[in-house]
Structure formats: C-alpha cells, structure tokens
Amino acid sequence: MAGKGILAGLPWWVVWVVVPVILIVVFGGLIATAVGVLISLLFKVLIAAALIAGVIYLVRRFTGSGSSSSSKSDW
C-alpha cells in the first residue's frame, strides 16, 4: 500500500520509464552476473550431457551387441 501511495501522484512515464531505468542502472551488474552464471551453467550441463551420451554410445557400440572377439578387433 505504501508503494502505491508514493507513486500515485507521479506521471505515467516516471513510473514506467524512469523507475525501471534507475533500477537497471543500479542493479544492472547484478542482473548481468546472474544471467551470465545461468547461461554458463546451462552450457556446462549441455556439454556434460553430450559427453555422457557419447560415452554411452561408444560403450554400447563396442561392447553391447557383438561381444565376440571379432568386435573387439575393430579397435
């Protein structure tokens, strides 16, 4: 309620333009850091998933269907 009382008498452009711009300027570094950490974490998760999938594929290919000595000679 107190927030609405403070912003009630101001023009719309102050509430919808100036206040968000001030918040972005003040907290912009924090927001950029948080977004960067999230993107970095997502990238690392995708790389880990691709590497694990590759290892599973290789293990199944070379040991799964043909466990005879002829498939081991493919190395």
Side-chain angles (χ1 to χ4, degrees), residues 7-65:
L7 299 176
L10 298 175
W12 68 270
W13 56 271
V14 172
V15 176
W16 294 104
V17 177
V18 176
V19 172
V21 167
I22 290 172
L23 291 177
I24 289 173
V25 168
V26 171
F27 294 107
L30 179 64
I31 293 169
T33 302
V35 170
V37 166
L38 288 176
I39 290 173
S40 173
L41 183 63
L42 179 63
F43 180 72
K44 289 177 183 178
V45 167
L46 290 175
I47 292 295
L51 289 173
I52 292 170
V55 167
I56 291 172
Y57 172 76
L58 288 174
V59 168
R60 286 188 180 175
R61 180 174 177 191
F62 289 113
T63 62
S65 60

